[in-house]
Structure formats: structure tokens, C-alpha cells
Amino acid sequence: MVEILVDLQNYELDSISLHPKISILTKYLSQTMPPENKASQIPSQDFSPAVQDRNFFICLMLGATVFPFAFVPLTQLMEQRFDSLVNIREVLFLLSSMHIALTPFFYADGAMQEHIHRRRLRYFVATSGCIFGTMLVFLFLGREYINYFFIFYHICLLWHHTRQNYGLLAFIGLATDTGRVSAYERQALYLASYAGIFGLMRFFTKNTIFDGAEGLFKNIGLIVYGISISLFIVSTIKNRSQWSDIRRVFFGALLTLFFLPSFLFTDRISAFSTFALAHALQYFFFMYYVSASGGGTSALRRSIKLLITFICTSVLLLIIKDHSIWGGASWALNGFFWGFVLSHFVIDADAWKLSQPFQREYMKNAFAFLFQNKG
């Protein structure tokens, strides 16, 4: 999901000054432009006061990130006593797996149409290649050797999670006025993902050349994680400005320890589900901000469009995942589902890439309250 380059935090679009006559002409053209041509424009920064508060944003992201780390272990401990907790957990896991159904909103958003057309190689060719290529991989490898695919998939997945964590920490830096993500913080987050990859790989060694290396992968991962934590500690010592708001330090620590559950549990589902659920909840909130960035009626239309896109895509994916419907074709369609997840990575890697002018302006409108100076 969210791929935000922090070196752009201090970028100010308004620093570009235009000749007064050009400014007047531009304003006139924007006012007289026919309504049908405005669909491709980026929505205005008018935002509902209920969600534009920085503290509200921090609380949302804090809840989305912390809740799974408390709830998932709790259900593990209490599942024998309270069946309802287990049912709630299963519903949350289902919703988290469906967060990828939010991504097609970018195709439905009029403000993204021109950009998608310019990047059609990525948004159509590459995404289709992910989906149908993965179907072929599933057919070629079969069930016996499919762990090779899942090793590759989890490498991509944890890197995708890390980029979103990086972006979230950048946003927290903006919301708390504590500065950009430092080089030490960045490396700590990256090393945490590498450690998490080793932690998860131990669950996918069967019928691969790595069979029997589970202990080795876990030990390597723990060593890498130790280095990651050390870099974060160095960062907090060197960057004293972070201590002006303890929430920045807390988020930095939380996101550095994000993949630690991959070493704390002995089964794959528990090891993975904690941070997967946190990632998904963050993404739900991020996409809400993206859809609601128009303000007023525009925000309502875009939010409804996001909801409809999510429901339709979720239903399609659930039908594809229902093996009872497809019989012998279910294995190939299983590949379709995982290919769709990979296409989600490909789309988000571009849509949230704020080093590019269009994406930067698009997301600055969605999160305008973070980029504006206090007072």
C-alpha cells in the first residue's frame, strides 16, 4: 500500500509564483471550464472539520495499529472460553483480506483518469500480467511446489507493508510537527521488514530447497531485527526534536516492532495476522481520506463511489475464492486471487509515490490538513 517519500514533506506547492496576468487567465479558464472537463481535476482541499483535525487522524492511526496487537493475542488466549471473540476475529480477518478491494477506486476516480491513461502500461498491462501470470504459476507449480510462490509473495507483501509504515510515520511527523523521517528511522523500518521476511519464510520451506532451514531463518531474522531496533534507538538519541511530541517516538517504536509477531508465534496464521490486520485497518482509513477529500457533495459522491467499488470488488473476489463453485478450476482461480493482490501492490506503488508531481498534488489534497502549518 502507501508509498510516501518523506523528503517531500517540506515541499510547498505555493512557492511557485506565476506572472499576475497568467494567474488571472488561469483563474478565468478554470471558472469557465465546462463541468464535464472537470472530472479529471484534483478535488479541492475543502474538508469536513470532523476529520481534518490532526489529533483525530493520529488517534485513528493509533487505534488501527495498536488494536490488532492486543486483540489477536487475546483471542488466542480466550478462544476456549469465548467463542464470540473467535467469530469477531474471523470477521476482522475477512475484512482485512478484502482491503485490496479498495484499490480499484483509483480507476473509478475522475481525478485519476488522465494519470492512469498516461501510465496505462502499469495500470493495465502490468496488473493484468500479475493476475494471469500468477494463474499460470499456480497451474505450473501445482500444489506440491506452491511454497516457492508464497516465499516470493511474502517478500513483496512485507516490503509493501514497510512502504506503508514509512508513509504513516511521515504523516505522523507532519501531524506532530516533529520533522521528517530520519535516515536511521528509515533503515530501522527497512531492516525490520527484512527480519520479518526471514521470520515468515520458515513457514514456507516444505517441498523447497530451504526445507529444514526453519531454525536458520528464524535466527537470521532475530539478528537483523536486533540491528533494526538498535538503529531506532540511535535515531531517538540523535534526533531530539522527536521528543517534543512523545507520540512521534511511540509510532516510531511501534512501526519498528511491527513484524515482531512473526517470531512470537509458532503457527503461520497467528504470526502473520496481527500486522496484516493492522496494515489493512490503516489502509481503510487512508482510502477514506482519499475519497472524502472533495468536501461537501463532492466528498459524499466520492465516498459512495469508494463504498460501491469496495462492495462489488469484494463480492467478485469472494466468489472467485469459493472453491465449491468452480470445481476443477478452483486452483487456477486461486491464482487469480493472489495475482489480484500482487496487482494491488503494483497500483499502490505508483498511486502513493509522492516523488511524482501528480501523485504529490493528489495526496496533498486528500491530506491537506497535515501539510498546512498550524495556526
Side-chain angles (χ1 to χ4, degrees), residues 53 72 82 109 113 127 155 158 264-265 278 327 350:
D53 182 72
V72 173
F82 303 101
D109 186 14
Q113 295 302 307
T127 53
I155 291 173
L158 265 68
L264 299 180
F265 295 96
D350 181 73

Side-chain angles (χ1 to χ4, degrees), residues 55-329:
N55 291 324
F56 180 79
F57 172 81
I58 293 173
C59 287
L60 277 182
M61 292 303 160
L62 182 63
T65 308
V66 172
F67 170 73
F69 284 83
F71 181 74
V72 173
L74 179 64
T75 57
Q76 295 284 349
L77 294 173
M78 306 295 289
E79 61 182 354
Q80 300 297 331
R81 294 184 179 180
F82 303 101
D83 292 338
S84 58
L85 281 178
V86 179
N87 294 333
I88 294 173
R89 183 185 65 187
E90 296 304 320
V91 171
L92 287 174
F93 287 172
L94 176 62
L95 284 174
S96 70
S97 67
M98 288 296 109
H99 80 279
I100 59 176
L102 294 167
T103 305
F105 171 77
F106 289 123
Y107 290 87
D109 186 14
M112 284 285 289
Q113 295 302 307
E114 185 178 346
H115 175 74
I116 289 176
H117 179 74
R118 290 196 306 267
R119 302 288 181 91
R120 52 188 177 273
L121 184 64
R122 173 185 286 267
Y123 282 87
F124 294 104
V125 178
T127 53
S128 299
C130 286
I131 294 171
F132 296 108
T134 305
M135 291 178 69
L136 291 176
V137 167
F138 267 62
L139 290 173
F140 177 76
L141 290 180
R143 299 176 186 271
E144 186 176 0
Y145 299 106
I146 199 60
N147 275 345
Y148 281 111
F149 167 79
F150 282 113
I151 289 174
F152 166 77
Y153 167 79
H154 281 89
I155 291 173
C156 297
L157 177 71
L158 265 68
W159 181 248
H160 173 72
H161 284 195
T162 299
R163 293 304 299 170
Q164 179 164 301
N165 288 349
Y166 184 35
L168 174 57
L169 189 57
F171 277 174
I172 296 301
L174 287 169
T176 57
D177 288 320
T178 51
R180 56 199 297 179
V181 177
S182 69
Y184 284 110
E185 285 179 304
R186 183 174 64 250
Q187 293 305 320
L189 292 178
Y190 289 172
L191 285 175
S193 72
Y194 304 153
I197 288 170
F198 280 109
L200 286 182
M201 277 181 64
R202 61 196 174 102
F203 297 111
F204 299 98
T205 58
K206 186 178 180 181
N207 293 329
T208 71
I209 59 174
F210 307 113
D211 206 344
E214 296 86 354
L216 176 63
F217 284 151
K218 183 176 182 179
N219 291 334
I220 293 174
L222 288 172
I223 293 171
V224 175
Y225 227 132
I227 300 172
S228 170
I229 295 172
S230 299
L231 285 174
F232 173 73
I233 293 173
V234 170
S235 173
T236 59
I237 295 173
K238 289 179 66 69
N239 299 291
R240 296 181 181 179
S241 63
Q242 297 175 6
W243 290 96
S244 62
D245 195 317
I246 195 64
R247 294 174 298 181
R248 164 63 182 273
V249 179
F250 181 79
F251 265 98
L254 183 62
L255 295 175
T256 300
L257 300 175
F258 196 74
F259 301 113
L260 196 58
S262 59
F263 299 95
L264 299 180
F265 295 96
T266 57
D267 65 290
R268 177 178 60 86
I269 299 300
S270 299
F272 168 76
S273 59
T274 304
F275 56 80
L277 179 57
H279 169 84
L281 292 177
Q282 293 169 5
Y283 193 75
F284 272 105
F285 289 132
F286 277 132
M287 290 303 293
Y288 164 73
Y289 276 98
V290 170
S291 69
S293 61
T297 306
S298 173
L300 179 61
R301 284 200 303 265
R302 285 162 58 84
S303 297
I304 292 174
K305 188 181 293 185
L306 176 69
L307 180 61
I308 293 173
T309 302
F310 172 72
I311 293 174
C312 293
T313 308
S314 295
V315 169
L316 174 63
L317 292 175
L318 289 173
I319 291 174
I320 289 173
K321 285 279 288 180
D322 190 347
H323 296 176
S324 64
I325 298 177
W326 304 105

Side-chain angles (χ1 to χ4, degrees), residues 18-28:
L18 297 175
H19 190 281
K21 292 183 179 179
I22 297 178
S23 300
I24 294 172
L25 178 60
T26 303
K27 183 177 180 180
Y28 172 77

